[in-house]
Short mmCIF file of all heavy atoms in Angstrom, two decimals:
data_model
loop_
_atom_site.label_atom_id
_atom_site.label_comp_id
_atom_site.label_asym_id
_atom_site.label_seq_id
_atom_site.Cartn_x
_atom_site.Cartn_y
_atom_site.Cartn_z
N LEU A 150 0.27 -32.77 26.26
CA LEU A 150 1.37 -33.01 25.40
C LEU A 150 0.75 -32.73 23.93
O LEU A 150 0.00 -33.53 23.47
CB LEU A 150 1.83 -34.38 25.50
CG LEU A 150 2.31 -34.71 26.93
CD1 LEU A 150 2.65 -36.28 27.03
CD2 LEU A 150 3.44 -33.88 27.41
N TRP A 151 1.18 -31.56 23.39
CA TRP A 151 0.66 -31.15 22.02
C TRP A 151 1.46 -31.66 21.00
O TRP A 151 2.75 -31.52 20.90
CB TRP A 151 0.56 -29.72 22.04
CG TRP A 151 -0.41 -28.99 22.93
CD1 TRP A 151 -0.08 -28.32 24.14
CD2 TRP A 151 -1.84 -28.93 22.72
NE1 TRP A 151 -1.24 -27.83 24.63
CE2 TRP A 151 -2.31 -28.15 23.91
CE3 TRP A 151 -2.73 -29.32 21.77
CZ2 TRP A 151 -3.67 -27.90 23.99
CZ3 TRP A 151 -4.06 -29.07 21.97
CH2 TRP A 151 -4.56 -28.34 23.02
N LEU A 152 0.79 -32.44 20.05
CA LEU A 152 1.49 -32.97 18.89
C LEU A 152 1.60 -31.93 17.70
O LEU A 152 0.61 -31.18 17.56
CB LEU A 152 0.84 -34.24 18.42
CG LEU A 152 0.74 -35.39 19.34
CD1 LEU A 152 -0.04 -36.61 18.80
CD2 LEU A 152 2.15 -35.91 19.79
N SER A 153 2.49 -31.98 16.86
CA SER A 153 2.57 -31.10 15.71
C SER A 153 1.50 -31.41 14.80
O SER A 153 1.32 -32.69 14.46
CB SER A 153 3.94 -31.23 15.12
OG SER A 153 3.92 -30.64 13.78
N PRO A 154 0.79 -30.42 14.21
CA PRO A 154 -0.22 -30.70 13.15
C PRO A 154 0.42 -30.94 11.76
O PRO A 154 -0.25 -31.22 10.75
CB PRO A 154 -1.01 -29.46 13.13
CG PRO A 154 -0.05 -28.38 13.56
CD PRO A 154 0.86 -28.97 14.55
N ASP A 155 1.72 -30.73 11.73
CA ASP A 155 2.42 -30.73 10.45
C ASP A 155 3.14 -32.06 10.15
O ASP A 155 3.69 -32.23 9.00
CB ASP A 155 3.48 -29.64 10.27
CG ASP A 155 2.94 -28.26 10.68
OD1 ASP A 155 1.80 -27.99 10.13
OD2 ASP A 155 3.60 -27.43 11.29
N LEU A 156 3.08 -33.01 11.04
CA LEU A 156 3.83 -34.24 10.85
C LEU A 156 2.91 -35.52 10.94
O LEU A 156 2.00 -35.46 11.71
CB LEU A 156 4.91 -34.35 12.05
CG LEU A 156 5.95 -33.33 12.09
CD1 LEU A 156 6.82 -33.50 13.33
CD2 LEU A 156 6.86 -33.25 10.83
N GLU A 157 3.24 -36.49 10.07
CA GLU A 157 2.40 -37.70 10.16
C GLU A 157 3.41 -38.71 10.77
O GLU A 157 4.61 -38.98 10.40
CB GLU A 157 2.01 -38.13 8.71
CG GLU A 157 0.99 -37.31 8.15
CD GLU A 157 0.44 -37.93 6.79
OE1 GLU A 157 0.88 -39.07 6.55
OE2 GLU A 157 -0.31 -37.25 6.17
N MET A 158 3.00 -39.38 11.90
CA MET A 158 3.81 -40.36 12.62
C MET A 158 2.94 -41.62 12.80
O MET A 158 1.68 -41.59 13.06
CB MET A 158 4.28 -39.75 13.99
CG MET A 158 5.17 -38.65 13.82
SD MET A 158 5.74 -38.06 15.53
CE MET A 158 4.25 -37.07 15.95
N SER A 159 3.55 -42.71 12.79
CA SER A 159 2.95 -44.03 13.12
C SER A 159 2.60 -43.82 14.61
O SER A 159 3.17 -43.06 15.39
CB SER A 159 3.78 -45.08 12.96
OG SER A 159 4.95 -45.10 13.77
N ALA A 160 1.67 -44.78 15.07
CA ALA A 160 1.33 -44.74 16.48
C ALA A 160 2.46 -45.01 17.40
O ALA A 160 2.70 -44.38 18.39
CB ALA A 160 0.27 -45.74 16.70
N GLY A 161 3.38 -45.95 16.92
CA GLY A 161 4.54 -46.22 17.78
C GLY A 161 5.46 -45.05 17.90
O GLY A 161 6.03 -44.79 19.00
N LYS A 162 5.65 -44.42 16.80
CA LYS A 162 6.58 -43.24 16.86
C LYS A 162 5.87 -42.13 17.61
O LYS A 162 6.63 -41.51 18.50
CB LYS A 162 6.68 -42.65 15.40
CG LYS A 162 7.48 -41.46 15.26
CD LYS A 162 8.98 -41.62 15.41
CE LYS A 162 9.84 -40.40 14.95
NZ LYS A 162 11.26 -40.63 15.16
N ALA A 163 4.67 -41.93 17.54
CA ALA A 163 3.99 -40.88 18.38
C ALA A 163 3.97 -41.21 19.81
O ALA A 163 3.99 -40.40 20.62
CB ALA A 163 2.52 -40.67 17.77
N MET A 164 3.86 -42.56 20.12
CA MET A 164 3.88 -42.91 21.58
C MET A 164 5.24 -42.63 22.14
O MET A 164 5.36 -42.03 23.30
CB MET A 164 3.62 -44.40 21.67
CG MET A 164 2.18 -44.90 21.42
SD MET A 164 1.97 -46.60 21.21
CE MET A 164 2.30 -47.14 22.92
N ALA A 165 6.28 -42.88 21.41
CA ALA A 165 7.68 -42.50 21.88
C ALA A 165 7.83 -41.00 22.09
O ALA A 165 8.42 -40.53 23.09
CB ALA A 165 8.79 -43.00 20.96
N GLN A 166 7.25 -40.25 21.11
CA GLN A 166 7.37 -38.78 21.17
C GLN A 166 6.57 -38.31 22.44
O GLN A 166 7.01 -37.32 23.09
CB GLN A 166 6.91 -38.12 19.95
CG GLN A 166 7.61 -38.51 18.65
CD GLN A 166 9.09 -38.16 18.70
OE1 GLN A 166 9.46 -37.04 18.97
NE2 GLN A 166 9.96 -39.08 18.44
N ALA A 167 5.50 -38.72 22.66
CA ALA A 167 4.60 -38.32 23.83
C ALA A 167 5.34 -38.62 25.04
O ALA A 167 5.35 -37.91 26.00
CB ALA A 167 3.25 -39.02 23.86
N GLY A 168 6.12 -39.81 25.14
CA GLY A 168 6.91 -40.13 26.20
C GLY A 168 8.03 -39.18 26.44
O GLY A 168 8.34 -38.77 27.58
N HIS A 169 8.69 -38.70 25.34
CA HIS A 169 9.70 -37.62 25.43
C HIS A 169 9.18 -36.44 26.07
O HIS A 169 9.74 -35.73 26.94
CB HIS A 169 10.31 -37.43 23.99
CG HIS A 169 11.12 -38.45 23.34
ND1 HIS A 169 11.78 -39.37 24.16
CD2 HIS A 169 11.27 -38.66 22.06
CE1 HIS A 169 12.37 -40.28 23.31
NE2 HIS A 169 12.17 -39.76 22.04
N GLY A 170 7.99 -36.01 25.60
CA GLY A 170 7.33 -34.79 26.07
C GLY A 170 7.07 -34.87 27.54
O GLY A 170 7.30 -33.94 28.36
N ALA A 171 6.54 -35.95 28.04
CA ALA A 171 6.23 -36.14 29.42
C ALA A 171 7.52 -36.16 30.24
O ALA A 171 7.58 -35.58 31.36
CB ALA A 171 5.53 -37.58 29.63
N GLN A 172 8.63 -36.67 29.73
CA GLN A 172 9.76 -36.66 30.49
C GLN A 172 10.46 -35.19 30.53
O GLN A 172 10.97 -34.81 31.65
CB GLN A 172 10.86 -37.54 29.74
CG GLN A 172 12.15 -37.85 30.49
CD GLN A 172 12.86 -38.96 29.98
OE1 GLN A 172 12.58 -39.64 29.03
NE2 GLN A 172 14.04 -39.25 30.74
N LEU A 173 10.35 -34.46 29.51
CA LEU A 173 10.84 -33.02 29.57
C LEU A 173 10.05 -32.31 30.62
O LEU A 173 10.73 -31.47 31.38
CB LEU A 173 10.63 -32.37 28.19
CG LEU A 173 11.58 -32.85 27.00
CD1 LEU A 173 11.31 -31.94 25.83
CD2 LEU A 173 13.02 -32.81 27.46
N ALA A 174 8.78 -32.48 30.69
CA ALA A 174 7.99 -31.78 31.70
C ALA A 174 8.38 -32.20 33.12
O ALA A 174 8.58 -31.45 33.91
CB ALA A 174 6.48 -32.06 31.54
N TRP A 175 8.62 -33.54 33.27
CA TRP A 175 9.05 -34.04 34.56
C TRP A 175 10.34 -33.42 35.09
O TRP A 175 10.46 -33.02 36.17
CB TRP A 175 9.20 -35.57 34.45
CG TRP A 175 9.61 -36.36 35.63
CD1 TRP A 175 10.89 -36.84 35.91
CD2 TRP A 175 8.90 -36.61 36.80
NE1 TRP A 175 10.95 -37.40 37.10
CE2 TRP A 175 9.73 -37.34 37.69
CE3 TRP A 175 7.54 -36.47 37.15
CZ2 TRP A 175 9.29 -37.87 38.99
CZ3 TRP A 175 7.15 -36.90 38.47
CH2 TRP A 175 7.95 -37.62 39.28
N TRP A 176 11.40 -33.39 34.05
CA TRP A 176 12.50 -32.81 34.52
C TRP A 176 12.51 -31.33 34.98
O TRP A 176 13.23 -30.88 35.80
CB TRP A 176 13.56 -32.85 33.27
CG TRP A 176 14.12 -34.25 33.08
CD1 TRP A 176 14.19 -35.24 33.87
CD2 TRP A 176 14.77 -34.66 31.80
NE1 TRP A 176 14.79 -36.43 33.42
CE2 TRP A 176 15.22 -35.98 32.10
CE3 TRP A 176 15.05 -34.17 30.60
CZ2 TRP A 176 15.82 -36.79 31.12
CZ3 TRP A 176 15.77 -34.81 29.66
CH2 TRP A 176 16.09 -36.17 29.94
N GLU A 177 11.55 -30.55 34.35
CA GLU A 177 11.45 -29.21 34.71
C GLU A 177 10.64 -28.92 35.87
O GLU A 177 10.63 -27.72 36.42
CB GLU A 177 11.10 -28.38 33.49
CG GLU A 177 12.04 -28.47 32.33
CD GLU A 177 12.01 -27.14 31.42
OE1 GLU A 177 11.34 -26.22 31.91
OE2 GLU A 177 12.40 -27.29 30.33
N LEU A 178 9.80 -29.76 36.39
CA LEU A 178 9.08 -29.55 37.64
C LEU A 178 9.85 -29.49 38.89
O LEU A 178 10.97 -30.26 38.90
CB LEU A 178 8.01 -30.65 37.69
CG LEU A 178 6.89 -30.64 36.55
CD1 LEU A 178 5.92 -31.82 36.67
CD2 LEU A 178 6.12 -29.36 36.54
#
Side-chain angles (χ1 to χ4, degrees):
L150 305 172
W151 293 103
L152 300 177
S153 168
D155 303 321
L156 300 172
E157 291 188 9
M158 295 182 281
S159 67
K162 177 77 170 180
M164 289 169 70
Q166 300 300 306
H169 290 333
Q172 189 166 3
L173 290 185
W175 178 257
W176 281 345
E177 293 209 17
L178 295 173

